[in-house]
């Protein structure tokens, strides 16, 4: 396949040309959410980042098997080896069956993803449905001699592994230092060293989610599910493994150690990580009170939000930054993104109505011919979405010039511009105009149009009271109504 797509590989710390193992097939695994609460902004960024990569790989002609897991067991509080399971804790507090909690939040997660126009992955495996595979994986690590059993639990022996392999290669953490500071644990805990991590945990009597295993009735460690499910669906070696940067250590570092220990080889070729999101310069956290869920963004119901922001505004805002740079959310920045998206959407809608002329004048014809190549080049440079957006803004300028009567466009240029704009705006960036964003939107537009028709009729009938009432009530709801010569335009402020 002819392309020059480069991706920054966290493991080698450089941009590399993307060459899949079994072209045209590509295997991609992305760590999905732990479903014990509503999805927030932190979930939107990896979902959109890897949706962008998924869409672009499909555009290049690859057949992509995209696996995004759902964590529903084994993820303990503070991402640690002890403490309550996040899902089980929620179930206890809400007096629900753990799988009720999982289903409830999974449904809501899917609704949020659909609103953000994130494509569904090819496979969405749940950890609780893959206990057998995880037990088998633990057994392989034990057989290879890189794990030990202790009081019904099984731990990964980091020090032993590090003698023949490099624990810390992904995160760059200094394992000698880690070992040095943890050597005194011996004999005081089930674990030989605190740096060791759980592959299987024996369940305490009050622990709800438990399965039989050769070692104890218990549950798998959090890192294990991704090694087990990734290799089950994508093979012992596959192309891309992604997630947020916060997962590099310990989660992905442990995954590398587990897979290498069990299979005797490196499983993942390209490790891709998106950077984090801060809110008004602060890290997101429950204790900081700035944990804004996606639903709260969509409705505006949060004390830190001035107003509601549409899912497309959130998507556009995230795509305005390259995935490896940080993003800081603020009302100001979101409102700027909203305006920017509006400008692009308006130009895209105008583009559909432009009439072709004999030749292109007043706008640079060359720019149209180059637009596609420039956008491709930006995408191939480690998914430089902000650069693609900048090129689309240039195109929007040209569209507006023709729309305002200050230029003309030839049939060929118009066809090329329509094609390129659709490809990058809709198919690759995954943006939608308001009309495309859903039928409920159509229904509401239809209702406003209907009210305005009744108002027109009232004017014809000289029923000024009704006409004024409709206008004033719509204005109070935030609609701006402009009476033209022969038609009425409206927009939502
Ligand atoms: Zn994972």
């Amino acid at each position: 396949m002819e392309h020059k797509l480069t991706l920054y590989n966290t493991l080698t710390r450089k941009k590399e040309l993307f060459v899949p193992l079994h072209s045209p097939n590509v295997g991609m695994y992305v760590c999905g959410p732990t479903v014990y609460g509503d999805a927030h902004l932190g979930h939107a960024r990896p979902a959109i980042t890897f949706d962008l990569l998924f869409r672009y790989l499909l555009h290049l002609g690859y057949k992509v098997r995209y696996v995004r897991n759902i964590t529903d067991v084994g993820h303990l509080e503070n991402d640690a080896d002890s403490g309550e399971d996040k899902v089980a804790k929620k179930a206890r507090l809400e007096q629900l069956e753990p799988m009720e909690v999982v289903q409830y939040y999974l449904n809501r997660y899917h609704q949020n993803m659909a609103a953000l126009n994130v494509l569904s992955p090819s496979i969405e495996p749940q950890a609780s449905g893959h206990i057998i595979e995880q037990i088998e994986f633990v057994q392989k690590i034990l057989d290879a001699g890189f794990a030990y059993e202790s009081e019904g639990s099984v731990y990964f022996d980091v020090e032993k592994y590090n003698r023949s392999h490099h624990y810390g290669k992904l995160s760059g953490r200094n394992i000698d230092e880690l070992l040095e500071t943890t050597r005194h644990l011996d004999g005081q805990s089930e674990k030989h060293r605190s740096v060791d991590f759980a592959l299987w945990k024996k369940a305490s009597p009050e622990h709800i989610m438990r399965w039989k295993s050769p070692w104890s009735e218990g549950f798998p460690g959090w890192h294990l599910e991704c090694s087990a499910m990734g290799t089950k669906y994508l093979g012992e070696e596959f192309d891309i493994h992604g997630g947020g940067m916060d997962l590099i250590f310990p989660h992905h570092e442990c995954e590398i150690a587990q897979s290498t220990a069990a299979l005797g080889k490196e499983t993942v070729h390209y490790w891709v990580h998106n950077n984090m999101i801060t809110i008004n310069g602060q890290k997101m956290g429950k204790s900081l009170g700035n944990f804004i869920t996606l639903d709260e963004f969509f409705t505006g119901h949060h004390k830190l939000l001035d107003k509601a922001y549409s899912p497309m505004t959130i998507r556009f805002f995230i795509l305005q930054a390259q995935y490896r740079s940080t993003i800081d959310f603020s009302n100001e920045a979101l409102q700027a993104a909203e305006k920017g998206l509006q400008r692009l959407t308006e130009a895209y809608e105008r583009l559909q109505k432009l009439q072709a002329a004999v030749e292109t004048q007043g706008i640079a014809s060359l720019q149209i011919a180059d637009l596609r190549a420039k956008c491709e080049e930006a995408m191939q440079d480690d998914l430089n979405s902000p650069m693609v957006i900048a090129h689309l803004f240039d195109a929007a300028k040209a569209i507006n010039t023709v729309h305002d009567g200050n230029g003309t466009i030839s049939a060929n240029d118009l066809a090329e511009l329509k094609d390129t704009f659709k490809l990058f705006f809709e198919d690759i960036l995954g943006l939608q105009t308001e009309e495309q964003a859903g039928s409920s939107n159509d229904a509401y537009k239809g209702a406003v149009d209907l009210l305005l028709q009744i108002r027109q009729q009232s004017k014809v009938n000289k029923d000024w009271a009704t006409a004024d009432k409709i206008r004033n009530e719509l204005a109070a709801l935030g609609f701006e109504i402009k009476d033209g010569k022969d038609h009425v335009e409206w927009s939502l402020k």
Side-chain angles (χ1 to χ4, degrees):
M1 217 147 293
E2 276 294 319
H3 68 73
K4 290 180 187 147
L5 171 61
T6 58
L7 293 173
Y8 181 86
N9 191 342
T10 312
L11 189 63
T12 58
R13 292 167 179 73
K14 59 181 185 218
K15 280 188 202 171
E16 292 175 11
L17 183 68
F18 177 67
V19 185
L21 269 165
H22 307 291
S23 185
N25 298 303
V26 171
M28 174 161 92
Y29 187 96
V30 174
C31 292
T34 302
V35 279
Y36 69 104
D38 272 336
H40 52 77
L41 211 44
H43 292 102
R45 196 167 191 196
I48 290 170
T49 298
F50 293 99
D51 186 54
L52 180 69
L53 178 54
F54 184 35
R55 286 166 179 271
Y56 194 62
L57 290 168
L58 292 174
H59 160 68
L60 289 178
Y62 290 116
K63 208 169 157 270
V64 187
R65 184 179 293 167
Y66 174 15
V67 182
R68 187 182 67 205
N69 71 301
I70 296 296
T71 299
D72 57 0
V73 63
H75 196 169
L76 307 185
E77 288 177 300
N78 307 316
D79 301 347
D81 268 352
S82 58
E84 207 170 350
D85 182 294
K86 293 184 183 192
V87 171
K89 182 178 182 182
K90 187 79 180 178
R92 179 174 61 77
L93 294 175
E94 307 272 321
Q95 294 190 307
L96 294 168
E97 158 68 26
M99 283 303 133
E100 274 183 290
V101 171
V102 168
Q103 195 64 60
Y104 177 79
Y105 288 109
L106 186 54
N107 291 345
R108 291 171 69 83
Y109 178 73
H110 286 153
Q111 284 164 10
N112 285 161
M113 292 303 111
L116 291 170
N117 200 24
V118 167
L119 299 175
S120 299
S122 329
I123 307 176
E124 198 174 44
Q126 289 179 223
S128 65
H130 295 76
I131 300 295
I132 292 170
E133 288 84 349
Q134 294 181 77
I135 290 173
E136 285 171 359
F137 214 93
V138 175
Q139 192 59 55
K140 278 187 192 162
I141 300 173
L142 275 167
D143 293 346
F146 291 112
Y148 55 89
E149 192 186 337
S150 178
E151 297 177 39
S153 293
V154 181
Y155 293 96
F156 193 91
D157 190 337
V158 171
E159 194 218 19
K160 184 168 179 201
Y161 173 81
N162 195 52
R163 275 185 238 146
S164 49
H165 301 81
H166 180 190
Y167 183 83
K169 66 195 291 186
L170 184 70
S171 59
R173 301 236 174 167
N174 185 335
I175 181 64
D176 293 331
E177 244 168 51
L178 280 174
L179 290 172
E180 193 67 32
T181 52
T182 58
R183 75 162 40 146
H184 304 295
L185 264 187
D186 288 67
Q188 294 172 18
S189 142
E190 311 184 349
K191 285 207 256 186
H192 294 171
R193 290 170 183 277
S194 65
V195 70
D196 294 347
F197 56 91
L199 298 173
W200 185 264
K201 286 283 286 183
K202 180 181 174 176
S204 55
E206 67 277 8
H207 198 97
I208 323 172
M209 299 165 87
R210 54 207 299 151
W211 291 264
K212 286 199 172 71
S213 82
W215 317 288
S216 64
E217 202 171 283
F219 55 94
W222 171 40
H223 315 305
L224 193 67
E225 62 175 282
C226 292
S227 288
M229 298 193 292
T231 51
K232 177 182 169 88
Y233 294 111
L234 299 173
E236 291 190 357
E237 274 184 71
F238 60 84
D239 300 303
I240 300 168
H241 192 317
M245 258 174 62
D246 53 333
L247 295 178
I248 293 176
F249 191 91
H251 189 53
H252 290 161
E253 195 75 75
C254 294
E255 265 189 60
I256 291 180
Q258 289 168 161
S259 299
T260 309
L263 308 169
K265 60 181 165 191
E266 282 277 340
T267 294
V268 176
H269 286 209
Y270 302 86
W271 282 95
V272 180
H273 292 98
N274 63 272
N275 210 321
M276 309 313 287
I277 291 178
T278 52
I279 295 194
N280 296 319
Q282 276 189 312
K283 241 185 107 170
M284 276 189 292
K286 278 219 165 89
S287 55
L288 295 168
N290 63 2
F291 228 62
I292 310 175
T293 69
L294 291 173
D295 279 340
E296 285 165 342
F297 274 103
F298 302 161
T299 58
H301 295 152
H302 190 282
K303 63 180 185 340
L304 290 177
L305 298 176
D306 291 350
K307 61 191 278 294
Y309 299 98
S310 74
M312 278 306 113
T313 299
I314 302 288
R315 183 171 180 112
F316 185 71
F317 186 77
I318 287 176
L319 291 171
Q320 271 187 321
Q322 203 267 354
Y323 73 91
R324 285 194 297 121
S325 39
T326 52
I327 300 184
D328 187 47
F329 263 79
S330 64
N331 282 288
E332 256 175 26
L334 275 172
Q335 283 159 28
E338 191 174 49
K339 283 210 180 82
L341 178 61
Q342 228 164 34
R343 275 216 314 277
L344 272 191
T345 307
E346 203 175 67
Y348 189 35
E349 284 166 347
R350 284 175 176 172
L351 175 62
Q352 311 312 320
K353 294 177 195 147
L354 289 191
Q355 301 293 324
V358 181
E359 52 181 352
T360 300
Q361 274 180 341
I363 59 170
S365 158
L366 191 70
Q367 183 197 325
I368 294 168
D370 279 357
L371 182 65
R372 185 186 297 260
K374 281 182 178 169
C375 290
E376 290 281 2
E377 208 177 293
M379 279 305 292
Q380 298 195 357
D381 181 16
D382 198 23
L383 313 181
N384 194 342
S385 53
M387 189 57 84
V388 175
I389 291 171
H391 294 318
L392 290 181
F393 272 121
D394 285 344
K397 256 186 234 156
I399 291 165
N400 291 336
T401 303
V402 177
H403 172 84
D404 296 342
N406 299 321
T408 58
I409 187 164
S410 72
N412 275 349
D413 278 349
L414 183 58
E416 171 66 8
L417 189 55
K418 277 185 178 173
D419 233 42
T420 308
F421 214 106
K422 179 190 181 298
L423 174 64
F424 286 93
F425 183 85
E426 271 186 48
D427 302 347
I428 293 173
L429 295 181
L431 295 168
Q432 294 173 314
T433 60
E434 270 179 42
E435 227 164 277
Q436 293 166 323
S439 50
S440 61
N441 230 335
D442 289 349
Y444 122 86
K445 282 187 165 183
V448 177
D449 285 339
L450 177 64
L451 280 171
L452 289 173
Q453 278 168 28
I454 296 172
R455 174 167 165 265
Q456 282 310 97
Q457 195 54 50
S458 312
K459 280 180 166 178
V460 171
N461 298 340
K462 301 199 180 338
D463 177 4
W464 308 113
T466 304
D468 287 349
K469 184 179 165 63
I470 291 174
R471 186 194 174 91
N472 296 340
E473 300 273 323
L474 282 174
L477 289 169
F479 290 94
E480 201 169 12
I481 293 148
K482 280 188 208 152
D483 286 307
K485 252 188 214 156
D486 44 19
H487 68 292
V488 183
E489 274 185 42
W490 64 267
S491 59
L492 194 55
K493 270 184 269 186

